[in-house]
Amino acid sequence: MRIASRFLIVIIFLGVVLGGIFGYKFYQFGQMQEQMSQPQPPAKISATEAQTESWTPAIKAVGSVEAVNGIEVANEVPGVIEEINFESGDTVEQGNVLVRLNAEIDEAALRTRRAEAQLAEQEFKRIADLLPKRAVSQSQYDEAKANFDAARARVNEAEAQLSKKVIRAPFDGTLGIRMVDQGEYIATGTPIVEINMLDPIYVDYTLSEKNLPNVKPGYPVVATVAAVPEQNFEGMVSAINTSVNPETRTVRIRATLANPENLLRPGMFATLLTRQPEDNEVVTVPRTAISYNTYGDFVFVVEENDEGDLVVNRRTVTTGETRNTRVAVLSGLEAGETVVAKGLLRLRAGQKVAIQGEDQKQEASE
């Protein structure tokens, strides 16, 4: 009997404890339901208006920087370097002496040729004086004249050969790294130094054949390179190839750019905008207002619902050119419509929002 009463007391105690636990949990669940049933507060957003701007139409392309003149200076004749008159990185003018090769043998050969020419000239003058007196025949006169002409030609040949021992800058430009040393024997065609004309400079790029009617010589071009991304290099289209590549259906374009500080170097990768002379009116928004998606770009437009609350709705748009922090919207958005400026990932369609600083919406220049 005592055991049964104790067992009953334990059961009652456990019932009270478990009942309290379940009651507390039921109370918590009710509180959670009450909280969830309450309306969510509007999300704070930054908003901006789509604006109409006047943009010059431009075609974007990529290309490569090329020197107006750029070669590796090499020797035409073999020899031993006797004198080097430049340092790596020097700026030189056309005709400046870069390298002199040992020319002792060529100088001796030239003296020989000049002596032979002098003797031939004296012989020719004697025969020429005797011809009017008929002391020599016409054939002797012709032979002496031919010998004299041949001797002078050999002198010119020796002078030309000697001049090849002096290597000069072929045009104004900037030198690269010296590739030869004093006293070195160099065979014919050995690279000595690279020289490039850097100002002005070319940029060669290609455009699709469909863009060919929109590009003409003289159209302005703006280029940027990774080495100095904050700087724009301005120039103009200087030449358009006369044929379209049949394999790629592209046409080669050449632009000439000013490069006074030599920041552009041959071989650089460049991004270019070829502008047209007339302006177009386009609708633009900040780049942060666009969500780029595989299935289409979209923005969140801020609108009023039937209750007069501000909500955001997702709208697909077609985007165009990007300039600085602005993106052109070709379709899907009208000027004056309010869009969310940033923080799109935390929003969903139909969500209530509140614009931060509604009396001073975020400007497009942000």
Side-chain angles (χ1 to χ4, degrees):
M1 192 69 179
R2 292 180 180 178
I3 295 175
S5 60
R6 291 177 181 176
F7 184 71
L8 180 62
I9 293 172
V10 170
I11 292 176
I12 293 172
F13 177 75
L14 291 176
V16 171
V17 172
L18 293 175
I21 293 174
F22 282 117
Y24 180 72
K25 291 296 182 182
F26 183 78
Y27 173 77
Q28 283 186 324
F29 182 72
Q31 292 292 320
M32 290 174 61
Q33 282 187 323
E34 183 179 352
Q35 290 179 359
M36 292 178 64
S37 64
Q38 293 179 356
Q40 293 291 328
K44 299 291 185 180
I45 62 168
S46 296
T48 185
E49 287 187 355
Q51 298 181 354
T52 300
E53 296 185 24
S54 180
W55 280 14
T56 302
I59 305 171
K60 190 173 183 179
V62 294
S64 180
V65 180
E66 303 285 346
V68 173
N69 287 310
I71 63 168
E72 280 189 343
V73 178
N75 55 312
E76 293 185 59
V77 295
V80 175
I81 295 177
E82 187 175 76
E83 183 181 342
I84 297 177
N85 294 328
F86 71 91
E87 294 295 336
S88 300
D90 282 353
T91 298
V92 295
E93 297 180 355
Q94 182 179 7
N96 286 165
V97 175
L98 302 179
V99 170
R100 293 182 187 273
L101 301 181
N102 185 284
E104 293 179 355
I105 296 177
D106 298 274
E107 290 172 351
L110 178 59
R111 289 193 293 270
T112 300
R113 298 305 184 190
R114 284 175 174 170
E116 292 173 350
Q118 185 177 5
L119 178 61
E121 181 182 13
Q122 293 173 352
E123 181 66 19
F124 171 68
K125 287 181 177 180
R126 281 196 296 268
I127 293 179
D129 291 339
L130 295 175
L131 183 62
K133 303 175 182 178
R134 298 189 180 277
V136 294
S137 63
Q138 182 66 40
S139 62
Q140 289 176 305
Y141 172 82
D142 294 340
E143 182 180 358
K145 185 176 184 305
N147 290 336
F148 177 45
D149 291 340
R152 287 192 301 180
R154 286 192 291 271
V155 171
N156 294 336
E157 179 184 7
E159 289 175 342
Q161 188 71 14
L162 180 61
S163 68
K164 294 182 185 298
K165 293 298 179 84
V166 180
I167 301 164
R168 302 176 182 272
F171 47 80
D172 297 350
T174 302
L175 300 179
I177 296 176
R178 177 165 58 89
M179 293 180 279
V180 294
D181 297 312
Q182 185 84 25
E184 180 181 352
Y185 174 83
I186 53 176
T188 302
T190 300
I192 296 172
V193 68
E194 186 181 77
I195 180 173
N196 286 293
M197 184 182 291
L198 300 179
D199 185 27
I201 202 164
Y202 291 146
V203 178
D204 290 349
Y205 59 103
T206 58
L207 293 177
S208 172
E209 61 179 345
K210 68 179 181 181
N211 291 320
L212 189 54
N214 301 323
V215 180
K216 294 182 180 178
Y219 276 17
V221 172
V222 178
T224 56
V225 294
V228 278
E230 72 284 354
Q231 183 165 344
N232 291 334
F233 298 89
E234 298 183 355
M236 64 178 59
V237 175
S238 54
I240 301 175
N241 207 6
T242 55
S243 62
V244 175
N245 188 316
E247 296 179 358
T248 61
R249 305 302 176 189
T250 57
V251 62
R252 186 177 178 183
I253 312 292
R254 170 165 286 178
T256 303
L257 307 178
N259 187 32
E261 298 178 9
N262 294 345
L263 296 177
L264 296 178
R265 298 297 179 96
M268 279 185 170
F269 178 85
T271 302
L272 301 104
L273 287 176
T274 305
R275 304 194 186 279
Q276 299 177 22
E278 70 279 359
D279 291 341
N280 282 347
E281 297 295 324
V282 294
V283 177
T284 68
V285 295
R287 186 163 47 188
T288 54
I290 304 288
S291 178
Y292 297 95
N293 194 287
T294 306
Y295 303 101
D297 305 334
F298 67 87
V299 297
F300 277 111
V301 182
V302 182
E303 299 174 326
E304 284 190 6
N305 61 10
D306 296 337
E307 289 77 26
D309 298 323
L310 292 180
V311 297
V312 291
N313 290 313
R314 175 171 164 167
R315 187 182 299 177
T316 301
V317 295
T318 303
T319 57
E321 182 185 348
T322 300
R323 294 190 184 177
N324 297 325
T325 61
R326 307 289 295 180
V327 179
V329 179
L330 306 182
S331 64
L333 194 66
E334 299 293 333
E337 291 191 277
T338 302
V339 298
V340 179
K342 56 185 177 181
L344 308 185
L345 295 178
R346 58 188 177 87
L347 299 177
R348 66 180 187 277
Q351 183 177 355
K352 292 182 181 181
V353 295
I355 299 176
Q356 293 177 339
E358 188 159 358
D359 55 342
Q360 35 180 297
K361 293 180 181 178
Q362 182 176 344
E363 295 296 329
S365 59
E366 287 185 352

